[in-house]
Amino acid sequence: MAKKAKKKKAAVDNNSTLATNRRARHDYTILDTLECGMVLVGTEIKSMREGKISLADAFATIDDGEVYIRNLHIPEYSQGSWTNHSPKRTRKLLLHRREIDKLMGQVRDGNKTLIPLKVYLKDGRAKCELGLAKGKQDYDKREAIKRRDQDRDITRELGRRVKGINA
């Protein structure tokens, strides 16, 4: 008698990015990043799987030894009924005690903040990439834009030389 091999149910959305906060890397210098889990209700994860999530204006705080993400907008689930969630509710992030204590010390000491950089699914669970960030001044932003433009021009010129175009 041959034993039937059990097929493992493969998640379609394995390790897929749901939302990124591109503005965060422009407005802040990211010093450190860490992965944390999110405590969600059923309609929130269903709405996230539809790709409806916004990280604009989202930030994280540490209250009573727990990390919470605020202003993360997850719209109501289209198929939901009275069980739907409120779109901008405060959600708890899951971190180890050591990580929370380390973050608490860094946020308390300097003018640093916690910014969500990316929300994604990893093995069917919602994860948030949290960044310890320091705000950029306007001149830092202009400098970064200038450096990016220079790098783009250099790359373009090198491409022309390789192709033999003299324009």
Side-chain angles (χ1 to χ4, degrees), residues 50-89:
E50 288 180 347
K52 299 177 180 178
I53 184 171
S54 174
L55 288 174
D57 302 328
F59 62 98
T61 58
I62 302 174
D63 301 325
D64 299 327
E66 300 289 339
V67 181
Y68 295 96
I69 190 166
R70 301 181 188 282
N71 289 346
L72 175 68
H73 187 267
I74 303 174
E76 290 184 347
Y77 181 53
S78 59
Q79 303 294 316
S81 58
W82 58 273
T83 58
N84 256 332
H85 61 279
S86 61
K88 283 211 172 192
R89 77 177 187 91

Side-chain angles (χ1 to χ4, degrees), residues 21-123:
N21 191 351
R22 293 176 52 191
R23 186 97 184 133
R25 297 200 186 268
H26 178 72
D27 290 341
Y28 298 95
T29 302
I30 308 300
L31 305 173
D32 191 19
T33 61
L34 60 141
E35 178 184 79
C36 51
M38 299 174 69
V39 176
L40 301 171
V41 296
T43 55
E44 286 176 329
I45 191 71
K46 289 178 181 183
S47 183
M48 284 174 66
R49 287 178 194 273
E50 288 180 347
K52 299 177 180 178
I53 184 171
S54 174
L55 288 174
D57 302 328
F59 62 98
T61 58
I62 302 174
D63 301 325
D64 299 327
E66 300 289 339
V67 181
Y68 295 96
I69 190 166
R70 301 181 188 282
N71 289 346
L72 175 68
H73 187 267
I74 303 174
E76 290 184 347
Y77 181 53
S78 59
Q79 303 294 316
S81 58
W82 58 273
T83 58
N84 256 332
H85 61 279
S86 61
K88 283 211 172 192
R89 77 177 187 91
T90 301
R91 295 162 181 93
K92 186 176 176 180
L93 296 177
L94 304 172
L95 291 164
H96 291 285
R97 173 60 46 204
R98 230 176 292 121
E99 293 172 330
I100 294 173
D101 292 340
K102 180 182 167 189
L103 286 176
M104 193 181 312
Q106 291 175 335
V107 168
R108 189 176 352 114
D109 290 344
N111 54 349
K112 297 176 186 125
T113 186
L114 297 172
I115 302 293
L117 302 174
K118 182 168 60 168
V119 175
Y120 55 96
L121 293 175
K122 183 176 180 182
D123 298 327

Side-chain angles (χ1 to χ4, degrees), residues 7-11:
K7 289 185 180 180
K8 211 173 189 185
K9 188 177 178 183

Side-chain angles (χ1 to χ4, degrees), residues 97-164:
R97 173 60 46 204
R98 230 176 292 121
E99 293 172 330
I100 294 173
D101 292 340
K102 180 182 167 189
L103 286 176
M104 193 181 312
Q106 291 175 335
V107 168
R108 189 176 352 114
D109 290 344
N111 54 349
K112 297 176 186 125
T113 186
L114 297 172
I115 302 293
L117 302 174
K118 182 168 60 168
V119 175
Y120 55 96
L121 293 175
K122 183 176 180 182
D123 298 327
R125 301 193 195 300
K127 302 287 183 177
C128 178
E129 183 177 285
L130 202 61
L132 182 67
K134 186 175 184 177
K136 281 186 184 177
Q137 301 295 325
D138 285 339
Y139 58 85
D140 290 334
K141 294 178 191 175
R142 285 192 295 269
E143 200 173 290
I145 291 169
K146 181 179 172 184
R147 188 171 43 250
R148 187 173 59 227
D149 289 344
Q150 289 172 346
D151 290 344
R152 189 180 306 126
D153 290 342
I154 290 169
T155 305
R156 189 178 298 138
E157 185 61 33
L158 287 173
R160 286 183 182 146
R161 285 185 185 177
V162 168
K163 292 176 185 175

